[in-house]
Each structure stands twice: as structure tokens, then as C-alpha cells.
Amino acid sequence: MFDPTKKRKVAEEVKEQFPSEVIKGLWDTLKQMKKDQILVTPVIAFAFSDDFTDDEIYVMGLQNSGAVAKEYTIKYSGSKDFLGKGTIVVVQDKPKNITMKISDVNKQ
């Protein structure tokens, strides 16, 4: 699950809402989750905290309808205007690639 050799696809909607450094930080977080051996489902939701420091933001990696959750930090010192909107990014492991998109909950 979440084989690092699979192709990564980032939806345009994610690229439009988040800086590239944050997207890279989400991929790095996924890599850390794999290293920590806490990946239990092929779908992970990343919820962004409204709290941040000058050089870090916080995300909660949620799996199995929130039964498995862990907070991670992402190094980022740029504009934080994307925070505070309740946006959830979903990363899904598919047979040939790993996709990153905005949650359908945010599209309603």
C-alpha cells in the first residue's frame, strides 16, 4: 500500500488552493506515515489545523473514518491564507497511481 514507486497525481484543484511546498509536505507526511507503519487504509484524509507558527503548519492524518488519527507538522513559512477554510485533502492509493484531491465534502 502506498508504494513510493507509483506515479503521483495531484488534482488541479489542489494545485490552485495550496502552495507547492505544502503539497510536497503532504507527500513527505505520507512517506513518514509509511515509515512509521501506521497506514491502515488506502485512503487518507489530511485536515489542516487553523493553528500555525511562522515556519510550520499542522495537519491531521485521518484514516478509517477518523479511528486512526495523528497530527504532523509541515515546514512552511509562506502565506497561510489557505488555512481556516476547513479544506480536507484526500490521498488515495489506486492500483497504478496515488492521487491527491480535495475532499468531496468541500465541494458541497
Side-chain angles (χ1 to χ4, degrees), residues 45-93:
F46 287 108
F48 290 83
S49 173
D50 293 344
D51 294 329
F52 57 87
T53 66
D54 288 343
D55 60 350
E56 289 182 328
I57 60 173
Y58 307 99
V59 295
M60 181 72 68
L62 303 165
Q63 301 176 74
N64 202 15
S65 298
V68 179
K70 184 171 180 183
E71 185 175 63
Y72 289 89
T73 59
I74 294 176
K75 297 283 185 198
Y76 177 70
S77 59
S79 170
K80 309 217 179 22
D81 60 349
F82 58 90
L83 296 176
K85 298 178 181 178
T87 306
I88 298 169
V89 174
V90 175
V91 179
Q92 185 172 7
D93 185 14

Side-chain angles (χ1 to χ4, degrees), residues 15-72:
K15 293 177 187 177
E16 291 170 3
Q17 290 189 37
F18 295 94
S20 60
E21 297 93 340
V22 173
I23 294 169
K24 181 188 178 309
L26 289 174
W27 289 124
D28 290 345
T29 300
L30 181 66
K31 182 179 178 182
Q32 184 63 47
M33 292 173 79
K34 183 160 179 72
K35 182 179 176 184
D36 293 344
Q37 298 181 356
I38 61 169
L39 294 173
V40 295
T41 63
V43 179
I44 299 170
F46 287 108
F48 290 83
S49 173
D50 293 344
D51 294 329
F52 57 87
T53 66
D54 288 343
D55 60 350
E56 289 182 328
I57 60 173
Y58 307 99
V59 295
M60 181 72 68
L62 303 165
Q63 301 176 74
N64 202 15
S65 298
V68 179
K70 184 171 180 183
E71 185 175 63
Y72 289 89

